[in-house]
Amino acid sequence: MSAAANEFDVAVIGGGLVGASISYGLARGGARVAVLDEGDIALRASRGNFALVWVQSKGLGMPEYAAWTVRGAGLWPQLAQALKADTGLDVTLQQPGGFHLALSEAELEKRSNLLQRLHNQPRMMRYDYEILDHARVKEMMPEIGPQVVGASYCPLDGHVNSLRLFRALHTAMERAGARYFANHGVEAIAYEGGEFRIATARGEVRAAKVVLAAGNGNARLGPMVGLDVPVRPQRGQIVVTERTQPFMRYPVVTVRQTDEGTVMLGDSVEEAGPDPTVGLPIVSAIADRAVRMFPRLGGLNVVRTWAALRVMTKDGFPIYDQSATCPGAFVATCHSGVTLAATHAFVVAPAIAAGGLPREDFEVFSARRFHVPAAA
């Protein structure tokens, strides 16, 4: 690389959904952006997610996260339109509302209590949701099975084609001027003379600012720029059926039909460390519940299964932070890269470009919330 070729306004480390969304926002705002990515060896949650744009049930324990999620869902139409205008790619955003189905009275009661506690929190941004019985759910989704007792429904929920989103973000950020460096896993970051010198296996990149968006890799990278990023991998598994005729008007949190006709089944949670192995017992449990919800699924062939590693913090909420010791270093990490894609592009990126994360919006998401002395 020549000296001019490796100097940027911002280096974004991580080319997944979070990194690509922020890079797109930075580049369309005029910043010279370098995206440093491990490439296909990375354990990408961005290629293994469930593709929901989801609001209901998020924010219990941190009501500001509920508001952040509502804001993200509200900005999504703007993102879909911008990506289509910039790339010609339609990410097939659909926001008809979404369901969380219950297969017993106990499940429905638990669901109702959770949402009530969520909305009773101080500072909670309340939004519409309903608890529906079997008859009402069947009016809206005629193909549910008799074991569905009821559901929660939120009109803000939706879904998207996440693989097309991934492609659209990469295409859009590069057309806006960002440079993508594949196979540039970061080995070290040094802060010298007001700039960041980033060592990769393929050479050094310099930038005035750096954004850590490397998912679980942020735990290793954070201390290099004075940031604490306590994240861990959490395994989720997904089952995909063959294509079938459209039968779902709404996404369910564990079952959704894609715009291409396949049906995705998922939502498992396992503390399995960095192991992305698919396990038959979990896959069987996912399939069993899905067939009880929609009996027609029992007649479809499974065409793929996979496991992916979420990026999980101690309390499950995102970390957005900026370094006190290395000015210009930021971190953005979460496990909702689809839902929050629009906020990353249209809110986080402009704030970073302007020089800092506004305290009123981001202080609650700082990792300093974990720095609580143990009780005596």
Side-chain angles (χ1 to χ4, degrees):
M1 293 179 184
S2 68
N6 69 348
E7 296 178 358
F8 297 88
D9 296 323
V10 189
V12 178
I13 301 176
L17 284 176
V18 175
S21 299
I22 293 173
S23 298
Y24 174 50
L26 288 166
R28 73 197 304 267
R32 293 176 303 139
V33 181
V35 182
L36 307 180
D37 195 17
E38 279 188 297
D40 288 337
I41 63 171
L43 293 172
R44 260 195 227 295
S46 302
R47 291 178 179 166
N49 64 72
F50 206 61
L52 296 175
V53 178
W54 211 250
V55 171
Q56 66 169 295
S57 76
K58 291 186 174 180
L60 184 59
M62 184 186 282
E64 294 84 356
Y65 182 53
W68 185 241
T69 303
V70 170
R71 187 177 183 181
L75 285 171
W76 240 106
Q78 181 184 338
L79 177 62
Q81 292 169 12
L83 289 173
K84 189 168 185 178
D86 290 347
T87 69
L89 293 169
D90 184 355
V91 299
T92 64
L93 171 68
Q94 300 175 60
Q95 291 180 295
F99 286 83
H100 184 117
L101 300 183
L103 292 173
S104 70
E105 292 291 351
E107 283 187 16
L108 188 59
E109 183 179 3
K110 181 179 179 181
R111 185 68 183 167
S112 177
N113 289 340
L114 183 149
L115 291 175
Q116 189 171 31
R117 285 191 291 128
L118 173 68
H119 283 262
N120 283 343
Q121 295 179 109
R123 308 185 307 280
M124 179 68 186
M125 173 189 282
R126 293 185 173 83
Y127 50 83
D128 291 339
Y129 77 91
E130 296 178 78
I131 300 296
L132 307 175
D133 62 15
H134 175 90
R136 181 68 180 118
V137 178
K138 196 167 182 65
E139 287 178 10
M140 299 174 74
M141 289 197 296
E143 297 229 14
I144 62 167
Q147 294 189 48
V148 175
V149 170
S152 61
Y153 168 76
C154 174
L156 302 180
D157 294 330
H159 59 154
V160 69
N161 185 315
S162 65
L163 292 181
R164 201 172 300 146
L165 169 64
F166 190 67
R167 179 183 165 200
L169 285 171
H170 271 250
T171 302
M173 74 183 189
E174 292 192 78
R175 288 185 179 178
R179 288 191 57 191
Y180 176 72
F181 295 90
N183 305 315
H184 276 64
V186 172
E187 298 171 346
I189 309 172
Y191 180 65
E192 299 174 358
E195 73 168 3
F196 294 91
R197 302 170 70 98
I198 303 164
T200 81
R202 299 198 173 192
E204 182 181 82
V205 173
R206 300 179 186 180
K209 297 175 185 172
V210 63
V211 180
L212 307 185
N216 285 306
N218 285 336
R220 177 181 65 87
L221 298 171
M224 298 179 187
V225 291
L227 289 166
D228 175 36
V229 193
V231 292
R232 70 180 192 282
Q234 186 183 70
R235 186 167 66 190
Q237 300 190 41
I238 289 176
V239 179
V240 182
T241 75
E242 63 183 324
R243 295 182 184 183
T244 188
Q245 63 184 30
F247 72 97
M248 294 185 70
R249 291 175 53 199
Y250 304 88
V252 173
V253 71
T254 57
V255 183
R256 75 178 195 94
Q257 188 167 27
T258 72
D259 60 296
E260 295 163 334
T262 59
V263 183
M264 295 180 70
L265 322 175
D267 202 31
S268 66
V269 175
E270 297 174 89
E271 299 296 339
D275 179 7
T277 305
V278 173
L280 187 57
I282 296 295
V283 168
S284 297
I286 290 172
D288 176 68
R289 284 187 62 87
V291 171
R292 291 167 64 194
M293 292 174 180
F294 298 96
R296 66 174 290 137
L297 294 175
L300 299 179
N301 292 311
V302 171
V303 296
R304 290 191 300 279
T305 62
W306 68 73
L309 300 177
R310 298 183 183 90
V311 182
M312 190 58 61
T313 60
K314 295 176 181 176
D315 57 9
F317 300 118
I319 296 174
Y320 302 102
D321 220 338
Q322 57 191 90
S323 175
T325 56
C326 300
F330 300 85
V331 61
T333 190
C334 69
H335 67 276
S336 296
V338 175
T339 299
L340 298 175
T343 42
H344 291 158
F346 299 142
V347 180
V348 174
I352 290 172
L357 302 175
R359 182 181 177 87
E360 60 272 22
D361 287 332
F362 293 97
E363 176 63 21
V364 69
F365 298 119
S366 168
R368 289 186 292 277
R369 68 183 186 268
F370 301 121
H371 301 172
V372 179

